[in-house]
Amino acid sequence: MLYRETGDFKTSYIADQQIFAIRQDRWFFWALLAFAFLVVPFFLNSYWEKSILLPFLIYALAALGLNILTGYCGQVSLGTGGFMAVGAFTAFKLMTAFPWMDMIVVVILSGAMTAAVGMVFGLPSLRIKGFYLAVATLAAQFFLLWLFIKVPWFYNFSPTGQITAPTRTALGIPVTGARTQPWATYLFTLSLVTVFAFAAKNMIRGRFGRSWMAIRDMDIAAEIIGVNPLKTKLSAFGVSSFYIGVAGALYFSVWFGAVEASDAFTINMSFTVLFMIIIGGLGSVLGSFLGAAFMTLLPIFMKNLMVDWMGLGTALAAHVEIAVLGALIIFFLIAEPHGLARLWSLTKERLRIWPFPY
Amino acid sequence: MQKTLKAAALAGLLAAPASAELVFVGLDYRTGPFAPGGIPFADGYADYFTLLNERDGGINGVPIRFIACETAYNTERGVECYENTKGENPLVYQPLSTGITYQLIPRATEDDIPLHTMGYGRTSASYGRVFTHVFNFPGTYWDAASIMVNYAGEMEGGMENLAGKTIALVYINIAYGREPIPTLEALAEKHGFNLLLLPVDAPGQEQRATWLQIRRERPDWTFMWGWGVMNQVALREASSVRYPMDRFVGIWWAASEQDTAPVGMDAAGYKAVTFHQVGDDFPIYDDLREYVVGRGKAAGDGSHLGTVLYSRGMVAAMWAAEAARNAMEIHGTTAITPGMMRDGYQSLVVDEERLIELGLPNFTVPVAVTCENHGGPGMGMIQQWDGERWSVISDFIGADREVIDPMIQADALAFAAENGITPRDCD
């Protein structure tokens, strides 16, 4: 009742195939996007930028990348942290070697570099599956981190292995370094995330996505009907790593400004992103965003709730937060094993027939 | 005394407006993998400010508001804490984490808030011409490395006897642990000793291979850059390979009861470099017991008083409070801003006379910060664990300034060039 498609007629194939089939969905989405682009930048302070919106957007992009590989193509990967490190270090090398380079170019080249590395580490996926592949990608995680600690060229021979982002611009506006405006970094990240999310959604709806899903559902059957496993798996690794590399580059250059490989891009990062897509929903673009929101925003919200409003001690609050977050994850996964995205689509179904059950 | 009178006169002249308060933020970690070290430090830091409030009514009559924020030693969280609290006009940040320090150096500089990374963080930040808002007195990791080498030389009967000897560095393989390597490499070249680098992956629970290598190579001295659980494990492993403990020297973050007490007698003889005295035999501890713990206002359970890391948190707070006093004096107002606090740090002088007034006689290195040198005198002492408690066994030992100062300058200038900073004039 609240949510209905009565009177929403499709008169052309294009209309029938659009991403948001229901008019209310469409309006809501465009309104949200307009709000994010046109309203938020005017009310943004650096707390909202650095602690809430940038983490959400950047983790969402990383989760989207992993979701392409794990959720759509069925290849489990634990190398996310390592691939993000590739993106971050490529961005750092490009930023320091070519100071004139526009950040948009830097970020895209970092993604491309990561895609190449990801495809190399995706080669084992042609022979091994499931848990065994997870272990192979785990090797990528450890190898890449070791590389970025071991070879000082990657961090320009700084004594500690820390990399620091100098001030660089996108379209003439500084988006990295200490002298950035919150709206600039936010809009830069938001634009990239929007473009890449649309690209992902359309890739998934197209030939690529169908072949990924065919491989995921049953690789032998897919091969028999003419899906080339080599091309399909490597393209999934490539596209996924591209997204993760872009997320890594943004994580380092726009969000943090200084990172250290052995601190930021550890196996914990790989697990965090994996949890995001499991909680958000495997094989769902919306799920990547919901999962990222759950894992990044909820802890901050709970901390502010308990420390600032309820006046609990910081240590007690931190312990309660860990426990509550764990309990919530279990609750959501029991309530809906397919993640928040599925929960949302079920809610939508119910809203359509509410208040009449039939 | 004169200073106290002056400060009192100042406070009287400029009676603070009723609502004025001085905000200090504690970036604590009472949870996470490094909580055993984070808790006593956080207690000491908070309790000193509580003491000033309870005993003196604040600093020069202006009450202190202390905000705690939990970082769990996690960089993302630390940045969140910084962004969350910087609107409250905090006078200084002391993150107690090298990772968070690196994040905050550009941000705090841009926001005009001083950063005091007491004996940690980025070593070259002591070059005040480039790092205008960062202070790391009373000593840096490079000073500590040099102090340890000087001490080893003294024990060997002269620096010339170090030639041909082997010094091993067992370090946690994160930015913090890698800090001393350039200095030790330079000193190895100068004095002709061999440097054996033994990285331990964070958090440092697994060190068997490292200590087997030490058993094989038998280095003459072993230095350690560890934090948290790594220290205990290293001490246990060292005793199990029967390494001579009195030739095993840790950095000041591997120098607390939390590290040695679990190993107990097996760690007896282990040494560490430090920049403050140990124990609670100082007048300030009587005040802390009376005004803070006695009144039930302690930040923790009060059990850490007198331990090494509690004293360290307290001394960090002491320097912050003294910098605030100094800033009030310089700017002639009690309502100081973070920018004024920076000036307070930049000309901070806490000499022995002042330490006696503060109830900390002979407690720590006398400090005199200048515009150019934010790293302090770079002196340290050696403390030793006897199986039950720590005691200081040496006088102040200086660092090899000839080697370190040019290295600090070179690294700071490289940072300036990379980030387009023009070094300021200090004359």
Side-chain angles (χ1 to χ4, degrees):
Chain A
M1 193 63 179
L2 284 177
Y3 198 80
R4 57 187 183 160
E5 53 224 285
T6 323
D8 194 359
F9 299 115
K10 307 288 191 308
T11 51
S12 66
Y13 285 118
I14 292 176
D16 197 38
Q17 291 197 335
Q18 59 192 336
I19 296 177
F20 298 103
I22 302 170
R23 193 184 292 144
Q24 276 167 324
D25 262 350
R26 214 153 50 230
W27 286 350
F28 177 72
F29 176 76
W30 289 114
L32 187 71
L33 211 57
F35 179 76
F37 269 101
L38 302 175
V39 181
V40 172
F42 291 101
F43 299 98
L44 195 59
N45 61 22
S46 68
Y47 177 70
W48 274 83
E49 174 224 3
K50 285 276 190 275
S51 301
I52 295 177
L53 292 172
L54 286 188
F56 164 62
L57 290 171
I58 290 168
Y59 273 119
L61 196 61
L64 185 57
L66 185 63
N67 222 338
I68 288 174
L69 186 65
T70 306
Y72 285 103
C73 196
Q75 312 294 309
V76 184
S77 166
L78 291 175
T80 317
F83 293 135
M84 281 179 82
V86 174
F89 278 82
T90 314
F92 172 69
K93 289 306 285 186
L94 289 172
M95 287 162 84
T96 48
F98 310 105
W100 42 264
M101 202 182 262
D102 192 281
M103 271 312 286
I104 298 174
V105 182
V106 169
V107 165
I108 288 173
L109 286 180
S110 308
M113 184 69 196
T114 317
V117 174
M119 273 150 85
V120 171
F121 283 102
L123 285 175
S125 71
L126 303 172
R127 297 293 296 269
I128 50 182
K129 290 182 208 163
F131 286 123
Y132 302 94
L133 180 64
V135 172
T137 54
L138 197 61
Q141 162 76 38
F142 287 113
F143 170 76
L144 289 169
L145 272 204
W146 171 83
L147 187 72
F148 293 127
I149 293 164
K150 187 73 187 169
V151 183
W153 177 80
F154 284 114
Y155 43 86
N156 284 1
F157 304 94
S158 92
T160 55
Q162 285 267 358
I163 53 173
T164 307
T167 301
R168 295 288 177 267
T169 59
L171 308 175
I173 300 159
V175 291
T176 67
R179 283 174 213 85
T180 49
Q181 295 295 319
W183 62 265
T185 56
Y186 166 71
L187 279 183
F188 177 69
T189 312
L190 181 66
S191 315
L192 286 169
V193 171
T194 311
V195 169
F196 287 131
F198 265 115
K201 183 76 190 170
N202 282 314
M203 250 186 290
I204 288 157
R205 286 158 13 111
R207 193 169 61 85
F208 270 119
R210 280 157 206 268
S211 50
W212 292 338
M213 284 183 264
I215 289 281
R216 172 191 68 189
D217 292 340
M218 194 174 179
D219 51 353
I220 294 174
E223 208 175 339
I224 289 169
I225 59 166
V227 177
N228 181 343
L230 175 85
K231 269 207 288 205
T232 310
K233 284 183 178 173
L234 287 193
S235 68
F237 264 97
V239 173
S240 153
S241 306
F242 179 88
Y243 278 74
I244 292 169
V246 168
L250 292 172
Y251 180 96
F252 154 66
S253 61
V254 177
W255 179 15
F256 273 111
V259 297
E260 188 203 342
S262 50
D263 176 41
F265 301 118
T266 55
I267 183 77
N268 285 339
M269 173 69 95
S270 303
F271 278 121
T272 307
V273 179
L274 189 65
F275 293 160
M276 282 175 189
I277 64 169
I278 291 174
I279 293 161
L282 286 169
S284 158
V285 173
L286 175 68
S288 313
F289 283 87
L290 292 179
F294 186 90
M295 293 292 283
T296 56
L297 307 187
L298 201 64
I300 294 173
F301 171 74
M302 287 204 297
K303 188 195 95 169
N304 287 344
L305 178 79
M306 285 189 284
V307 175
D308 297 347
W309 299 342
M310 291 163 61
L312 263 87
T314 50
L316 178 64
H319 288 131
V320 172
E321 181 194 309
I322 294 168
V324 171
L325 195 68
L328 275 179
I329 290 174
I330 294 172
F331 169 75
F332 275 116
L333 288 184
I334 290 174
E336 181 47 68
H338 293 105
L340 298 173
R342 178 96 177 120
L343 211 57
W344 167 237
S345 67
L346 287 178
T347 314
K348 238 161 61 169
E349 285 297 313
R350 296 220 178 93
L351 283 177
R352 274 162 75 176
I353 51 175
W354 186 86
F356 310 111
Y358 299 106
Chain B
M1 196 59 210
Q2 212 178 355
K3 252 191 204 160
T4 326
L5 282 178
K6 232 161 74 184
L10 182 87
L13 277 175
L14 302 149
S19 65
E21 54 183 7
L22 302 169
V23 175
F24 287 92
V25 172
L27 298 185
D28 305 343
Y29 41 98
R30 295 174 183 276
T31 62
F34 298 107
I39 291 170
F41 188 95
D43 285 355
Y45 194 68
D47 283 354
Y48 187 79
F49 291 123
T50 312
L51 173 69
L52 293 183
N53 268 347
E54 294 292 312
R55 190 187 60 190
D56 315 335
I59 298 173
N60 287 347
V62 190
I64 295 163
R65 183 156 67 93
F66 186 79
I67 304 171
C69 193
E70 172 68 31
T71 69
Y73 201 78
N74 175 317
T75 308
E76 284 179 29
R77 293 234 155 171
V79 172
E80 199 265 337
C81 279
Y82 173 81
E83 295 289 345
N84 200 1
T85 51
K86 78 175 183 191
E88 311 259 1
N89 253 348
L91 294 176
V92 60
Y93 280 96
Q94 306 207 24
L96 194 61
S97 144
T98 298
I100 300 174
T101 303
Y102 272 78
Q103 291 299 320
L104 295 191
I105 287 173
R107 287 171 207 226
T109 307
E110 195 58 27
D111 295 332
D112 199 17
I113 303 173
L115 200 61
H116 183 199
T117 59
M118 182 188 68
Y120 55 90
R122 185 178 188 123
T123 293
S124 60
S126 65
Y127 193 68
R129 285 180 201 264
V130 172
F131 296 93
T132 53
H133 286 70
V134 190
F135 301 87
N136 52 8
F137 63 84
T140 65
Y141 289 136
W142 295 359
D143 295 329
S146 171
I147 291 165
M148 286 152 119
V149 170
N150 286 349
Y151 177 74
E154 199 181 300
M155 291 291 109
E156 297 284 355
M159 294 306 281
E160 64 282 359
N161 292 345
L162 280 179
K165 295 273 195 301
T166 301
I167 296 179
L169 173 69
V170 178
Y171 63 99
I172 190 161
N173 201 0
I174 55 177
Y176 148 65
R178 289 192 291 265
E179 279 278 350
I181 295 173
T183 311
L184 288 175
E185 279 171 347
L187 290 170
E189 203 167 310
K190 180 173 175 181
H191 299 298
F193 60 83
N194 304 313
L195 181 64
L196 182 64
L197 294 178
L198 300 170
V200 172
D201 280 328
Q205 266 137 337
E206 180 46 58
Q207 300 180 29
R208 182 124 320 151
T210 310
W211 289 94
L212 283 178
Q213 198 174 347
I214 284 185
R215 187 164 77 175
R216 208 170 48 237
E217 311 240 350
R218 283 278 150 195
D220 299 279
W221 289 88
T222 299
F223 297 164
M224 175 162 73
W225 249 254
W227 183 223
V229 67
M230 168 171 170
N231 298 339
Q232 291 172 29
V233 176
L235 286 168
R236 208 166 266 136
E237 294 282 346
S239 80
S240 77
V241 301
R242 300 188 191 290
Y243 189 80
M245 280 295 177
D246 57 347
R247 292 181 159 259
F248 186 18
V249 189
I251 177 64
W252 41 61
W253 302 114
S256 69
E257 287 83 358
Q258 282 78 11
D259 304 321
T260 48
V263 193
M265 281 313 291
D266 288 343
Y270 170 66
K271 292 168 181 169
V273 63
T274 182
F275 52 81
H276 59 79
Q277 285 286 346
V278 294
D280 60 354
D281 195 12
F282 295 93
I284 193 158
Y285 272 107
D286 301 335
D287 286 354
L288 278 168
R289 290 217 162 83
E290 184 186 341
Y291 291 98
V292 181
V293 181
R295 293 186 184 179
K297 304 231 171 179
D301 54 6
S303 64
H304 295 294
L305 264 75
T307 64
V308 171
L309 286 172
Y310 185 94
S311 293
R312 194 161 301 156
M314 185 186 73
V315 81
M318 179 277 283
W319 276 317
E322 291 306 299
R325 255 187 254 277
N326 191 24
M328 290 177 180
E329 215 166 300
I330 294 171
H331 290 276
T333 171
T334 52
I336 52 170
T337 63
M340 295 177 183
M341 181 74 171
R342 205 278 313 242
D343 300 337
Y345 263 111
Q346 187 146 279
S347 58
L348 179 66
V349 177
V350 181
D351 50 14
E352 183 55 34
E353 193 191 340
R354 181 67 188 147
L355 285 175
I356 293 170
E357 287 169 7
L358 292 169
L360 290 161
N362 203 15
F363 187 73
T364 184
V365 193
V367 163
V369 187
T370 63
C371 164
E372 187 171 37
N373 180 1
H374 289 184
M379 289 196 290
M381 304 173 274
I382 299 293
Q383 62 179 32
Q384 190 172 30
W385 175 253
D386 67 1
E388 278 170 18
R389 62 177 54 81
W390 286 99
S391 48
V392 171
I393 56 164
S394 82
D395 283 336
F396 288 126
I397 302 172
D400 193 340
R401 297 253 70 86
E402 257 175 63
V403 173
I404 294 170
D405 287 345
M407 286 174 62
I408 286 178
Q409 190 174 350
D411 190 57
L413 292 178
F415 177 84
E418 217 172 74
N419 290 277
I421 299 168
T422 318
R424 65 179 169 156
D425 205 6
C426 269
D427 306 319

